[in-house]
Amino acid sequence: MKIANDKIVNIDYTLTSPDGTVLDSSEGTPLPYLHGKGNIIDGLEKALEGKTAGDHVDVVIAPADGYGERQEDMVQKIERSRFEGVENIEPGMQFQAESPEGIQMIMVVAADEEIVTVDGNHPLAGVELHFSVDIREVRDASAEELEHGHVHGPDGHHH
Ligand code: ZN
């Protein structure tokens, strides 16, 4: 069976940056996803289209088809007084913020007595993604899975 819209696909994957650092991996537990619904990044979905169980796919995905380009206007300086109730603000801390596009994660990149600099870019924005994928299984989605837009079963949603 070929990977196409509305198929459930089980993949083992390793994601590395251009310098070979492992950024993410299924760690031997295949990840099931519903193809064609934007459940995985665009570039990877395109690369897997038409492949079958047993295929191995190596693909390099440009930031535009991955987590987007970095947008420097998403780096902002905020007065520390706006972080009321947060005692220690240190680089690397993450906060949720409301934005016009919904809830967004922002990360503190610098902080002094008065000003906190935060970055709302996705941590992998601007990064070329190197995926190594083994396709384990391709099956039809159930009517219920299609209705919900995600996978049910042992490794998917339970409800
Ligand atoms: Zn569901």
Side-chain angles (χ1 to χ4, degrees):
M1 186 179 285
K2 286 187 174 172
I3 295 177
N5 286 352
D6 300 340
K7 301 295 183 193
I8 302 291
V9 184
N10 247 302
I11 54 171
D12 265 312
Y13 69 95
T14 302
L15 169 61
T16 51
S17 64
D19 68 7
T21 306
V22 175
L23 301 170
D24 191 17
S25 158
S26 56
E27 295 176 337
T29 305
L31 170 86
Y33 77 93
L34 175 58
H35 192 84
K37 292 280 190 280
N39 288 321
I40 61 171
I41 60 169
D42 276 6
L44 186 55
E45 215 162 48
K46 277 181 215 148
L48 295 177
E49 186 90 27
K51 301 290 193 293
T52 61
D55 284 354
H56 178 86
V57 178
D58 285 304
V59 60
V60 176
I61 297 170
D65 292 323
Y67 293 97
E69 301 288 353
R70 279 188 58 80
Q71 293 173 258
E72 290 315 315
D73 61 359
M74 289 176 76
V75 177
Q76 292 182 320
K77 292 185 189 303
I78 297 172
E79 284 176 40
R80 188 162 196 140
S81 59
R82 288 181 55 193
F83 289 83
E84 211 175 328
V86 184
E87 278 187 22
N88 294 307
I89 299 177
E90 290 170 356
M93 288 177 74
Q94 291 188 316
F95 292 90
Q96 286 189 341
E98 304 256 4
S99 79
E101 290 90 48
I103 297 290
Q104 182 195 13
M105 290 301 292
I106 57 172
M107 189 189 287
V108 175
V109 290
D112 65 22
E113 305 273 298
E114 278 157 25
I115 298 294
V116 178
T117 306
V118 298
D119 185 350
N121 285 287
H122 188 283
L124 295 179
V127 176
E128 188 183 74
L129 307 171
H130 292 234
F131 273 98
S132 176
V133 180
D134 284 300
I135 299 160
R136 302 298 186 200
E137 188 192 4
V138 183
R139 66 169 170 87
D140 286 315
S142 69
E144 194 186 45
E145 285 171 325
L146 288 177
E147 193 184 313
H148 290 196
H150 56 226
V151 178
H152 292 166
D155 301 309
H157 287 247
H158 295 266
H159 52 201

